[in-house]
């Protein structure tokens, strides 16, 4: 009985240590909300997003208004901020996201190497946290009630498809001006195809998929790339915007094949802002349609999870987990009999043993 208890305790303790490490890793993913708790969020769009986060990342961190002490790059790898409100007005971020203390904490967080996922109206935080000049703030904005429609709203990751060589209308295609981002990690495992109203490959994000009506609020907070004055050189407005802001345009409206609109952008680290930021201001990424069932909700969830996972690996705090994981993988294996007696690896007789390596314990059979 004593030996059995000893073995059981060893397995449980090691399993607990392994789970704790996974739980701690998940805890470095956070969402900043505008209410005291997820349950208290009145805006149904923001509530749906936050509810998915806490259900999916059960060990994730929720940051409520005033909890600026949690905004720490040494503890959090990534913070997601989702703001999606009707009649907010361009530039009028809710006070709970834009008060001086919160903005200052976020500015320090990204300067120190923390990463951000900014979606919908939250893309307007980019200049406030010091990542872009205010003159490059999102200039395509809508926050009305929207309306009903039967089409699917899509995301296109092929920037400049006009020059891909697949467009029969362009007899002088320039492949150097075609940017295909479909292999980027944020698009992994998303449903895609050429059957959603465009001749190029797109990711459907919102629609019933069967021709029935759905109500979409049509809230965009993104970039008209033709609306800026650039000092940087580039072959087109996408390249100029990228060169000016050290970023990469990863996605646009599904029906756009040229360089006019940027919907998803990865802002890369700079000398002053060491953290990566992904900004997604596309209307098609809506979490809670008022009417109709979104057949492509899985794509929205997968895109969001991919963005969080991608950013999580780039956060400063990720280094702690990477070192911890590496230590576990490289640690020497130790073997015990089922009675809890340690046995040298080169003296294993036929039988069943418990192999302990780092924080992981597994049973092995020697024949």
């Amino acid at each position: 009985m004593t030996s059995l208890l000893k073995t059981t305790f060893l397995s449980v303790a090691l399993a607990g240590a392994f789970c704790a490490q996974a739980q701690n890793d998940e805890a470095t993913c956070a969402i900043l909300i505008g209410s005291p708790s997820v349950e208290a969020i009145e805006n149904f769009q923001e509530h749906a997003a936050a509810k998915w986060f806490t259900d999916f990342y059960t060990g994730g961190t929720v940051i409520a208004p005033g909890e600026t002490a949690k905004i720490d790059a040494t503890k959090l790898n990534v913070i997601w901020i989702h703001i999606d409100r009707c009649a907010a007005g361009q530039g009028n971020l809710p006070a709970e996201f834009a008060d001086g203390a919160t903005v200052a904490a976020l500015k320090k967080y990204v300067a120190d190497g923390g990463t951000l996922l900014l979606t919908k109206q939250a893309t307007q935080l980019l200049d406030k946290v010091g990542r872009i000049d205010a003159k490059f703030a999102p200039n395509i904005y809508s926050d009305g009630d929207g309306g009903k429609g039967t089409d699917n709203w899509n995301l296109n990751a092929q920037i400049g498809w006009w020059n891909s060589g697949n467009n029969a209308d362009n007899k002088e295609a320039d492949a150097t001006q075609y940017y295909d981002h479909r292999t980027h990690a944020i698009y992994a495992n998303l449903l895609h195809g050429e059957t959603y109203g465009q001749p190029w490959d797109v990711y459907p994000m919102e629609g019933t998929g069967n021709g029935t009506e759905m109500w979409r609020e049509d809230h965009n907070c993104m970039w008209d790339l033709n609306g800026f004055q650039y000092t940087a050189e580039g072959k087109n407005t996408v390249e100029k915007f990228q060169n000016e802001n050290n970023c990469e345009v990863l996605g646009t409206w599904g029906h756009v094949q040229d360089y006019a609109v940027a919907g998803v952008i990865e802002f890369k680290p700079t000398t002053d802002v060491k953290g990566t930021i992904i900004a997604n201001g596309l209307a098609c990424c809506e979490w809670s349609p008022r009417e109709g069932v979104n057949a492509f909700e899985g794509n929205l969830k997968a895109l969001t999870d991919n963005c969080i996972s991608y950013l999580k690996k780039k956060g400063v705090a990720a280094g702690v987990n990477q070192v911890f994981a590496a230590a576990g993988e490289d640690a020497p294996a130790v073997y015990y009999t089922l009675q809890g007696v340690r046995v040298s690896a080169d003296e294993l007789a036929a039988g069943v043993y418990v192999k302990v390596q780092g924080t992981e314990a597994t049973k092995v059979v020697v024949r």
Side-chain angles (χ1 to χ4, degrees), residues 43-45 84-88 121 141-149 153 206 214-220 286 288-291:
N43 178 279
F44 65 97
Q45 297 287 1
D84 188 5
R85 304 190 182 187
C86 288
Q121 294 155 7
Y141 182 87
S142 53
D143 60 8
D145 279 343
K148 295 180 180 180
W153 287 5
E206 189 173 26
M214 168 178 280
W215 189 296
R216 278 79 62 96
E217 291 182 338
D218 196 14
H219 290 177
N220 288 293
E286 181 177 327
S288 184
R290 299 188 202 180
E291 297 179 24

Side-chain angles (χ1 to χ4, degrees), residues 32-355:
L32 176 63
I33 62 175
S35 299
S37 67
V38 172
E39 295 72 20
I41 299 175
E42 295 182 359
N43 178 279
F44 65 97
Q45 297 287 1
E46 294 172 22
H47 178 267
K51 184 67 166 60
W52 172 80
F53 177 86
T54 54
D55 286 348
F56 192 79
Y57 297 97
T58 55
T61 299
V62 175
I63 306 172
E67 296 183 331
T68 54
K70 290 184 177 180
I71 304 175
D72 184 341
T74 66
K75 297 177 181 178
L76 297 176
N77 289 324
V78 53
I79 299 175
W80 178 24
I81 307 175
H82 181 75
I83 307 173
D84 188 5
R85 304 190 182 187
C86 288
Q90 187 171 5
N92 296 326
L93 284 165
E96 56 269 29
F97 294 100
D99 67 278
T102 299
V103 170
L106 289 172
K107 189 171 184 177
K108 183 179 188 306
Y109 172 78
V110 293
D112 291 344
T115 72
L116 291 176
L117 173 60
L118 305 176
T119 52
K120 287 298 186 81
Q121 294 155 7
T123 60
Q124 296 176 106
L125 283 165
L126 277 163
D127 64 291
K128 289 178 172 49
V129 301
R131 181 53 186 83
I132 60 173
D133 191 290
K135 67 182 181 181
F136 290 112
N139 57 349
I140 296 178
Y141 182 87
S142 53
D143 60 8
D145 279 343
K148 295 180 180 180
T150 59
D151 57 332
N152 297 323
W153 287 5
N154 311 311
L155 188 165
N156 177 20
Q158 298 173 81
I159 311 300
W161 187 82
W162 172 259
N163 277 308
S164 67
N166 298 312
N167 192 328
D169 294 331
N170 187 1
K171 306 300 183 183
E172 299 179 355
D174 180 359
T176 66
Q177 296 189 65
Y178 171 53
Y179 317 105
D180 186 356
H181 296 295
R182 288 175 294 175
T183 59
H184 195 286
I186 69 170
Y187 297 121
N189 303 314
L190 266 67
L191 171 70
H192 61 96
E194 299 178 359
T195 58
Y196 304 105
Q198 312 302 335
W200 49 85
D201 192 20
V202 296
Y203 300 102
M205 302 302 298
E206 189 173 26
T208 62
N210 59 14
T212 58
E213 288 187 331
M214 168 178 280
W215 189 296
R216 278 79 62 96
E217 291 182 338
D218 196 14
H219 290 177
N220 288 293
C221 195
M222 41 195 282
W223 291 263
D224 171 9
L225 299 179
N226 294 320
F228 300 113
Q229 296 294 321
Y230 301 101
T231 58
E233 297 296 322
K235 298 176 183 176
N236 51 65
T237 53
V238 166
E239 273 199 11
K240 291 177 181 178
F241 186 88
Q242 291 180 160
N243 292 339
E244 192 95 28
N245 294 287
N246 190 35
C247 65
E248 194 165 23
V249 177
L250 299 178
T252 184
W253 280 328
H255 61 279
V256 171
Q257 63 163 307
D258 57 18
Y259 314 101
V261 175
V264 182
I265 304 177
E266 178 181 353
F267 292 89
K268 300 183 178 181
T270 67
T271 302
D272 297 324
V273 181
K274 298 181 177 62
T276 300
I277 301 175
I278 291 181
N280 177 0
L282 289 166
C284 63
C285 295
E286 181 177 327
W287 278 90
S288 184
R290 299 188 202 180
E291 297 179 24
V293 177
N294 185 9
F296 308 110
E297 183 182 56
N299 266 5
L300 175 59
K301 292 178 177 179
L303 175 66
T304 307
D305 177 42
N306 287 343
C307 287
I308 291 174
S309 297
Y310 177 75
L311 291 169
K312 183 173 69 172
K313 296 174 183 177
K314 293 180 175 293
V316 171
V320 177
N321 290 325
Q322 289 166 0
V323 170
F324 187 87
E329 294 168 359
D330 298 337
V334 179
Y335 296 87
Y336 296 86
T337 67
L338 294 182
Q339 289 73 41
V341 178
R342 182 170 174 173
V343 182
S344 173
D346 55 8
E347 295 179 358
L348 298 180
V352 180
Y353 299 87
V354 176
K355 176 185 175 183

